[in-house]
Amino acid sequence: MTVSDLTEAELVARIHSHLQSPPGWLLVGIGDDAAVVEPERNKLEVLTVDALVEGVHFDRRLMPPDAIGHRALAVNLSDLAAMGASPRLALVSLALPEDMTSGDFDRMTSGIAGLARRHRLHVVGGNLTRSPGPLVIDVTVAGSAKRRQVLTRGGARPGDEIYVTGTVGGAAAGLQMLRGSTTGAGGKREGDPACIHRYRYPVPRIGAGVQLARNRAAVACMDLSDGLADGVRQIAAASGVGIAIDGDLVPVDPAARRWFESTGLDPLVTALTGGDDYELVFASRAALGARLRAVRQRSPALTRVGVCTREPDVVLHRVVNGARTEEAMPGGYTHFG
Amino acid sequence: MTVSDLTEAELVARIHSHLQSPPGWLLVGIGDDAAVVEPERNKLEVLTVDALVEGVHFDRRLMPPDAIGHRALAVNLSDLAAMGASPRLALVSLALPEDMTSGDFDRMTSGIAGLARRHRLHVVGGNLTRSPGPLVIDVTVAGSAKRRQVLTRGGARPGDEIYVTGTVGGAAAGLQMLRGSTTGAGGKREGDPACIHRYRYPVPRIGAGVQLARNRAAVACMDLSDGLADGVRQIAAASGVGIAIDGDLVPVDPAARRWFESTGLDPLVTALTGGDDYELVFASRAALGARLRAVRQRSPALTRVGVCTREPDVVLHRVVNGARTEEAMPGGYTHFG
């Protein structure tokens, strides 16, 4: 059975069956012309939208349907985390190829609903249409944050230190492993299940983002959808500073490092420019040391990786053959298409 | 030049050039991980999302790019109108075919921006990606309404009267005229420019919706994206009533009526089941007569077309060959695909 055997009402009912009971602040939910929501008192509202397009952001052969649903919501939650906002609601707009099975539809929906439940976020509305081409999932999320706790990209000053949560490179390695397993390009090399899981089920750093915001421990923050190299460039540009990253401090995922080395890639450069990690990169400063220690008690995996500079360049320091070198941060200008 | 010759930043800058200066309630706009918004005091928030997919909702040969942009926002504003909400902000997510010219991109963007300006709505964020298939435009809008003024679909009771704004059938006739002009199926018949314009540039009935809400003159309301027949069925189902429509009262657009007659179609049935009118259908009652008269002073084109009944059926009355007939409301159950 495919989605084209069902009515829109039947598809909506299947989505409903995955959702929690509606929260008290949701006054009108799915089924009317729009959702009606009670705003949170004394909070600002934080809004973002992100689309996943089949053939651009994922390959249905490499991603189980629940992972596609999970990712569509996770990338948006990651944006909220980067602002220090707590998730509240989502609207989900789906363009479904007619040959999508109803089982895959259910699995995709449960991927969205499972992650929503974990973050106590409610799906308040959405849209369903067919697609004559790729599967497209557009998710809009809204969260809330206190006025003085919002984390933008633009608050870093020369001398501020740059931190990253967790590790980087694991998702890019996982994607390479998956691609190798379908094309055979990976040869006999075994992929690492943790890297593959990391690629398929990104974990938005909501906890770290909210802790940074509540403790007011960061002066700039963004999430790593396109890699750490891109992240530091964006913070540098928005804040009007340069950034020097110490390559030897960058927490490259160990399994990813081994994988990149075995394929002849530079592990550091590949990890810096690989996307899909969805960690947070942020700037803090010495005067906020006590606050940052408070954050560490709940979000221990924070690594200092560099410093903001007066010179406007974004550079990478590392030790090559025993000598300290400086190079331009890899990656950069890319065409849209 | 196509969109694939530009960077994402360059495309965003082109969008920016069409937008008004940001309102005071927008604390963080386009360019960060998410938008940050000050909620409106003592108002509820009304949220909806709708997608336009090329090949499903529009044909690029029949719709100029600015009309595609206009429509993508208009269908969402129509949902706000149906709730009695005033528009406030939008997030726009675009999946662009690589062969889309930058000129068409600009025209599409100006179609969105022009309608936004007319309703003092601000585009606070969005997403850009390429599409390996059709052009997809997903727009999320948020508006606000006072708690006791929200218009749902579910408040009608037996005896309430059913009204519709404006006229119906014009957009469906316009689409037929456009299709005939490309396939040659229209023969020598001249299309009506007003119907074609009506199809291309739907007018969301924000004014009427807000007047109905402020005057508390309606007890149920929805917008006509899929035709009046569908609209009354939805209100009947949500309210737990039946509805009897008097076909002789339905305000069929005169040019559309002539067009349908000339093609051998039943003008009333075609107008009732034709989509894209984006008028409002609503229920009111005798006790609200003074309030409805107040609405009429600002939104004169309100036509009473039927009544809510205790029997659960949705029926159409009309006079055929001098005799009054009753039939089931045309249209109905359709598969999703």
Side-chain angles (χ1 to χ4, degrees):
Chain A
M1 190 166 65
T2 69
V3 291
S4 55
D5 296 317
L6 297 165
T7 63
E8 185 168 338
E10 286 166 339
L11 289 169
V12 171
R14 279 166 177 254
I15 294 173
H16 249 301
S17 72
H18 290 286
L19 300 180
Q20 304 278 87
S21 55
W25 48 258
L26 179 61
L27 306 180
V28 178
I30 294 169
D32 215 301
D33 294 288
V36 181
V37 165
E38 177 111 50
E40 208 164 351
R41 268 176 180 280
N42 303 318
K43 293 276 182 78
L44 298 176
E45 195 169 24
V46 183
L47 293 153
T48 186
V49 61
D50 229 326
L52 290 195
V53 179
E54 180 185 354
V56 177
H57 303 100
F58 66 91
D59 179 336
R60 271 207 269 172
R61 292 165 306 176
L62 306 182
M63 290 276 276
D66 69 310
I68 296 170
H70 174 101
R71 168 176 291 256
L73 181 55
V75 299
N76 279 286
L77 293 181
S78 185
D79 281 324
L80 290 190
M83 303 299 289
S86 298
R88 199 158 190 245
L89 63 87
L91 297 116
V92 177
S93 179
L94 303 170
L96 307 173
E98 287 177 41
D99 66 355
M100 186 178 203
T101 68
S102 51
D104 280 357
F105 175 81
D106 285 342
R107 283 184 279 276
M108 182 176 73
T109 305
S110 79
I112 297 172
L115 186 61
R117 202 155 41 233
R118 228 166 297 158
H119 292 284
R120 298 202 297 177
L121 166 143
H122 199 79
V123 177
V124 301
N127 191 64
L128 282 174
T129 176
R130 67 190 173 85
S131 165
L135 170 61
V136 180
I137 313 181
D138 243 290
V139 178
T140 304
V141 296
S144 61
K146 285 199 180 158
R147 182 179 303 268
R148 298 182 62 196
Q149 298 180 355
V150 169
L151 302 171
T152 67
R153 299 178 181 178
R157 293 194 311 228
D160 290 350
E161 293 183 309
I162 298 292
Y163 292 81
V164 66
T165 62
T167 61
V168 298
L175 176 57
Q176 287 187 7
M177 293 165 189
L178 284 168
R179 284 190 175 149
S181 71
T182 53
T183 62
K188 282 194 297 290
R189 289 175 309 128
E190 271 289 297
D192 178 72
C195 288
I196 291 173
H197 193 270
R198 171 110 201 229
Y199 171 71
R200 282 183 169 158
Y201 300 93
V203 177
R205 298 296 180 196
I206 292 287
V210 168
Q211 286 300 317
L212 287 170
R214 285 197 186 148
N215 289 284
R216 298 176 64 200
V219 293
C221 187
M222 79 170 277
D223 72 314
L224 299 188
S225 48
D226 296 325
L228 182 58
D230 174 71
V232 294
R233 260 196 300 270
Q234 301 281 354
I235 286 185
S239 297
V241 297
I243 292 178
I245 295 294
D246 184 340
D248 299 320
L249 299 179
V250 173
V252 178
D253 179 276
R257 182 186 291 279
R258 286 192 297 278
W259 175 267
F260 295 141
E261 278 168 353
S262 76
T263 56
L265 294 166
D266 181 325
L268 178 60
V269 170
T270 314
L272 286 172
T273 54
D276 299 319
D277 284 320
Y278 297 102
E279 298 291 352
L280 299 180
V281 58
F282 65 91
S284 188
R285 57 184 61 142
L288 306 177
R291 297 180 182 183
L292 197 57
R293 281 192 293 279
V295 173
R296 270 191 205 280
Q297 305 215 330
R298 297 203 175 198
S299 299
L302 306 180
T303 307
R304 189 176 58 80
V305 294
V307 65
C308 297
T309 59
R310 206 166 296 280
E311 306 74 50
D313 304 319
V314 178
V315 298
L316 176 63
H317 290 155
R318 55 175 160 169
V319 175
V320 178
N321 300 327
R324 195 167 173 75
T325 66
E326 177 177 309
E327 60 196 289
M329 183 60 69
Y333 185 93
T334 47
H335 275 289
F336 171 71
Chain B
M1 188 166 65
T2 70
V3 290
S4 56
D5 296 317
L6 297 165
T7 64
E8 186 168 337
E10 286 166 338
L11 290 169
V12 171
R14 278 167 179 254
I15 294 172
H16 248 304
S17 72
H18 290 286
L19 300 180
Q20 305 278 87
S21 54
W25 49 258
L26 179 61
L27 306 180
V28 178
I30 294 169
D32 215 302
D33 294 288
V36 181
V37 165
E38 178 111 52
E40 208 165 350
R41 268 175 180 282
N42 302 318
K43 293 277 182 79
L44 298 176
E45 196 169 23
V46 183
L47 292 153
T48 186
V49 62
D50 229 327
L52 290 195
V53 180
E54 180 184 353
V56 177
H57 303 100
F58 65 91
D59 180 334
R60 271 207 269 172
R61 291 165 306 176
L62 305 183
M63 290 275 276
D66 69 310
I68 296 169
H70 174 101
R71 168 176 292 256
L73 181 56
V75 298
N76 278 287
L77 293 181
S78 184
D79 281 325
L80 290 190
M83 303 299 288
S86 298
R88 196 155 191 247
L89 63 87
L91 297 116
V92 177
S93 179
L94 302 170
L96 306 173
E98 287 178 39
D99 67 355
M100 186 178 202
T101 67
S102 52
D104 280 357
F105 175 81
D106 285 341
R107 281 184 280 274
M108 182 177 72
T109 305
S110 80
I112 298 172
L115 186 59
R117 200 155 42 232
R118 228 165 300 156
H119 291 285
R120 298 203 296 177
L121 166 144
H122 199 79
V123 176
V124 302
N127 191 64
L128 281 174
T129 176
R130 66 189 173 86
S131 166
L135 170 62
V136 180
I137 313 183
D138 242 291
V139 178
T140 303
V141 296
S144 61
K146 285 199 181 160
R147 181 179 305 268
R148 299 182 62 196
Q149 298 181 355
V150 169
L151 302 171
T152 68
R153 297 178 182 179
R157 294 192 313 229
D160 290 350
E161 293 183 309
I162 298 292
Y163 291 82
V164 66
T165 62
T167 61
V168 297
L175 176 57
Q176 287 187 7
M177 293 165 190
L178 284 168
R179 284 190 175 148
S181 71
T182 54
T183 63
K188 284 193 298 287
R189 289 176 307 129
E190 271 290 299
D192 178 70
C195 288
I196 291 173
H197 192 269
R198 171 107 200 230
Y199 171 71
R200 284 184 168 156
Y201 300 93
V203 177
R205 297 297 180 196
I206 291 287
V210 168
Q211 285 301 316
L212 288 170
R214 288 198 184 147
N215 288 284
R216 298 177 63 200
V219 292
C221 186
M222 78 171 277
D223 73 314
L224 299 188
S225 47
D226 296 324
L228 182 58
D230 174 72
V232 294
R233 261 195 300 270
Q234 302 280 355
I235 286 185
S239 297
V241 296
I243 292 177
I245 295 295
D246 183 340
D248 299 320
L249 298 179
V250 174
V252 178
D253 178 278
R257 182 186 291 277
R258 284 192 297 276
W259 174 266
F260 295 140
E261 279 169 352
S262 76
T263 57
L265 294 166
D266 181 325
L268 178 60
V269 170
T270 313
L272 285 172
T273 55
D276 300 318
D277 282 322
Y278 297 102
E279 296 293 349
L280 299 179
V281 58
F282 65 92
S284 188
R285 57 185 61 140
L288 305 177
R291 296 179 183 183
L292 196 57
R293 280 192 293 279
V295 173
R296 270 191 204 280
Q297 305 215 329
R298 296 201 176 201
S299 298
L302 306 180
T303 308
R304 189 175 58 79
V305 293
V307 66
C308 297
T309 59
R310 205 166 296 278
E311 306 75 50
D313 304 317
V314 177
V315 298
L316 176 63
H317 291 155
R318 54 176 161 168
V319 176
V320 178
N321 298 328
R324 195 166 173 78
T325 66
E326 176 177 308
E327 59 196 290
M329 183 59 69
Y333 185 92
T334 47
H335 276 287
F336 170 70

